Amino acid sequence: MAFTNKQMPKANEIWNPSFTPRSEGMKHENSYTDNEIVSKKEQTVSSSFLPSYTKSYSQTRLEVTTSDYTWKIDQFGRLAAIVDTLNSPPFGENNQYKIQMNILRKDFLCAIRILIRTGTAFTGLCTTTIMHPPETVLASRSISCRISDMTLLIDVLDDSYISTEAFIIHCKIEHFHQLISNTIHMNLQPSTTVFKEVKSFEGSTLEFISKNEKSIKFIVGEEQYVISKKLLCDTNSNYFKIICLIHDGKEKDMTNELATDNELQTFKQILIFILTGSVEQCDYEMLKKLLTAADKYDVPTLKLTCEHYLLRYITIKNAVELIQLALLSKAKFLETHSTTFIKFHIKEITNTKEFKSLSQEDLNKVLEFIEKLETLESSTIQSFSSAT
C-alpha cells in the first residue's frame, strides 16, 4: 500500500510499547464459528457507560478524658475507729472529682462505702480498686453508667480489710464526652471531564482510512478477530491508529509478537473490548493485568474501565498495591481514589507489610499525594451531655 509523504507517519510516531506484562492471563470462554470474531457494530468504545457505583467508609471514635487517681491513707486503722467520713483531695483535669469514704459501724463490725463526689454528672466508666501496700488487691468494681454526685463506687463489708496501718484506693475515671464519626464517599463513576479525555478520534485519518481496507483480521494464537479500522481508531489508541495507517494487508498475525500466554490472553481481552465495549469475566487479578495491557497499548477507555472495577476491590491489604499499579500505569483515576482510601485508613495501612515494603521513592510519592489530596469528608458528633 502506497502513502504520500503527508499520509506516512513519522518514525517517532510508530508505537513501541516499553514493557511486557509478566503474570498469567485468563482464557476467554466464548465460542465463535471457525475461531473468528467479527465486528458487527460500529459504536465507539469511548461512549461506553460505566454503571454508577459509590463506596463509603465511616470511622467512629469515642472522645474520652481519663483521670487516674491513687489515694493512700496511712494509719487507716486508727482513723477508722474515730471518724465516720473521709474525703480525698480533689483530682481530675479541673479538680472536679473527690472520693468520699463512709465508715459504718455496727456491733463492733466495720464496713466501708466509697462514693464519688462531683458537681457535674457525666456518662462514663469508673473502676475502683482497694489495695494493701504495695499492690495487693483486696476488692475491685467497675461501673459504666450515668455517674452523678454520690454514686456508689464500691462497698467493703469485711472489716479485716481495715486492720492494716495503710489503705490504698485507686480510682480510674473515664469521662465519655462524645462520639465522633467521619465518613468519606468515593464516587467511582468517572466525571464528564474524565470521559472527555478519552473522547473518540475523529477527522482526516478516518477519512483516509475509509478509502483503503475497511477492516483488519487479527490472528492471535488459534483465534481470529475481524475489526473495522473505524472501530480501531475510535478507541483513540495511538497503537491501533498506527496499525491502521501503515499495515499493508487484510491480516495481522500477532502470535509472534505476543511471546507469553499472559500477553496472548490480555491482547485477546483488548480486542474483545474493542468489539463489544465491555469487560466481562474479569476478577481482581485479571483486571490488574488488563489495566497494564491497556496502558501498554494505549486504550484509554479500557484503562479507565479497569480502574473503575479495580476500585471495587480496594481493601486495607491491597490499597498500597493498587496505588503502585496506578503509578506504573499512569492511571490517575485509580491513583486519586486509592490515595483517598489510604488517607482515610492511614493508621491501619501504615502498619501493613505492604506499606512498610514501599521503596523510598514510592513512599515519598504516596505521602505527597496524601498531603495534596483534598478529601470530601463529612463528620457527625453525638454528645453524651444530653444523656439521661
Side-chain angles (χ1 to χ4, degrees):
M1 183 182 295
F3 293 91
T4 66
N5 289 335
K6 180 181 292 186
Q7 296 164 341
M8 183 67 71
K10 299 177 182 179
N12 61 3
E13 291 177 335
I14 304 298
W15 189 252
N16 181 22
S18 59
F19 65 95
T20 301
R22 297 177 180 175
S23 52
E24 291 291 321
M26 183 177 76
K27 294 184 179 179
H28 185 76
E29 298 177 354
N30 291 351
S31 59
Y32 301 90
T33 305
D34 297 327
N35 290 326
E36 186 173 291
I37 302 172
V38 183
S39 172
K40 294 183 179 180
K41 58 182 180 179
E42 294 295 322
Q43 70 179 40
T44 60
V45 180
S46 62
S47 63
S48 61
F49 175 75
L50 289 175
S52 177
Y53 196 97
T54 62
K55 289 177 76 75
S56 300
Y57 301 90
S58 295
Q59 289 182 341
T60 299
R61 62 182 176 87
L62 179 61
E63 187 179 82
V64 180
T65 299
T66 301
S67 300
D68 197 317
Y69 179 64
T70 300
W71 181 22
K72 181 181 177 184
I73 308 170
D74 290 323
Q75 299 181 333
F76 179 70
R78 295 183 179 183
L79 287 173
I82 60 175
V83 299
D84 297 326
T85 302
L86 283 177
N87 286 295
S88 74
F91 65 95
E93 188 175 19
N94 298 307
N95 288 329
Q96 70 267 46
Y97 309 122
K98 286 184 181 181
I99 292 175
Q100 178 173 311
M101 178 191 297
N102 292 341
I103 301 171
L104 310 174
R105 302 179 193 87
K106 184 176 181 182
D107 299 330
F108 302 104
L109 296 177
C110 188
I112 299 172
R113 173 163 290 182
I114 297 175
L115 310 101
I116 188 170
R117 302 304 307 266
T118 178
T120 305
F122 64 94
T123 299
L125 171 65
C126 185
T127 302
T128 306
T129 305
I130 296 176
M131 297 180 289
H132 281 169
E135 292 182 347
T136 302
V137 176
L138 304 175
S140 184
R141 179 175 182 252
S142 293
I143 60 170
S144 181
C145 59
R146 185 72 171 166
I147 299 173
S148 57
D149 190 39
M150 297 296 287
T151 295
L152 176 64
L153 300 181
I154 190 170
D155 266 333
V156 179
L157 302 179
D158 188 347
D159 63 351
S160 64
Y161 289 172
I162 65 172
S163 63
T164 179
E165 287 299 309
F167 197 74
I168 298 173
I169 300 174
H170 177 261
C171 189
K172 183 178 180 180
I173 299 173
E174 297 177 68
H175 182 162
F176 303 162
H177 295 285
Q178 55 193 10
L179 288 173
I180 302 175
S181 298
N182 296 320
T183 302
I184 58 166
H185 302 287
M186 295 166 55
N187 184 2
L188 303 188
Q189 175 66 47
S191 65
T192 304
T193 304
V194 174
F195 272 120
K196 286 180 179 179
E197 294 177 359
V198 295
K199 187 173 63 175
S200 296
F201 176 78
E202 298 176 356
S204 60
T205 303
L206 286 180
E207 182 180 353
F208 161 70
I209 289 173
S210 65
K211 298 176 183 178
N212 298 279
E213 300 292 343
K214 293 184 178 181
S215 63
I216 295 177
K217 179 189 290 185
F218 289 90
I219 301 172
V220 186
E222 297 180 355
E223 295 185 9
Q224 300 176 2
Y225 302 79
V226 179
I227 306 178
S228 72
K229 289 186 176 181
K230 182 180 184 302
L231 200 55
L232 289 170
C233 285
D234 281 348
T235 64
N236 205 23
S237 163
N238 287 330
Y239 174 80
F240 287 108
K241 290 177 193 175
I242 295 301
I243 288 179
C244 291
L245 285 169
I246 70 173
H247 181 67
D248 189 9
K250 295 182 178 181
E251 296 183 353
K252 181 169 178 58
D253 193 342
M254 300 294 298
T255 306
N256 293 331
E257 295 183 30
L258 305 171
T260 67
D261 182 63
N262 176 72
E263 289 178 295
L264 283 169
Q265 298 305 326
T266 53
F267 195 80
K268 288 178 185 178
Q269 290 288 333
I270 289 174
L271 297 180
I272 291 169
F273 179 81
I274 294 173
L275 287 166
T276 65
S278 64
V279 175
E280 298 178 354
Q281 301 176 355
C282 285
D283 59 12
Y284 174 71
E285 294 300 324
M286 188 59 192
L287 282 168
K288 289 192 298 179
K289 298 166 189 173
L290 197 53
L291 173 62
T292 301
D295 179 61
K296 173 180 178 179
Y297 294 106
D298 189 31
V299 187
T301 312
L302 174 58
K303 183 175 174 180
L304 186 61
T305 301
C306 291
E307 294 176 69
H308 167 92
Y309 284 106
L310 277 169
L311 284 165
R312 297 190 181 191
Y313 289 96
I314 193 168
T315 64
I316 289 173
K317 184 174 178 59
N318 69 11
V320 171
E321 177 187 35
L322 285 179
I323 200 167
Q324 286 180 300
L325 179 62
L327 290 171
L328 288 172
S329 304
K330 304 178 187 65
K332 294 297 182 182
F333 188 72
L334 179 60
E335 175 190 299
T336 298
H337 287 292
S338 296
T339 303
T340 299
F341 184 89
I342 291 173
K343 184 174 183 178
F344 190 72
H345 297 280
I346 189 65
K347 290 183 179 179
E348 297 92 336
I349 290 176
T350 51
N351 289 323
T352 63
K353 63 179 182 180
E354 290 79 11
F355 186 88
K356 293 177 181 178
S357 300
L358 279 171
S359 67
Q360 190 61 48
E361 181 181 358
D362 284 350
L363 176 61
N364 291 339
K365 288 180 181 178
V366 172
L367 295 178
E368 183 181 352
F369 292 154
I370 291 174
E371 184 179 355
K372 292 181 178 180
L373 181 69
E374 294 182 5
T375 55
L376 298 176
E377 185 173 319
S378 60
S379 296
T380 57
I381 297 176
Q382 176 185 338
S383 177
F384 286 100
S385 61
S386 60
T388 58

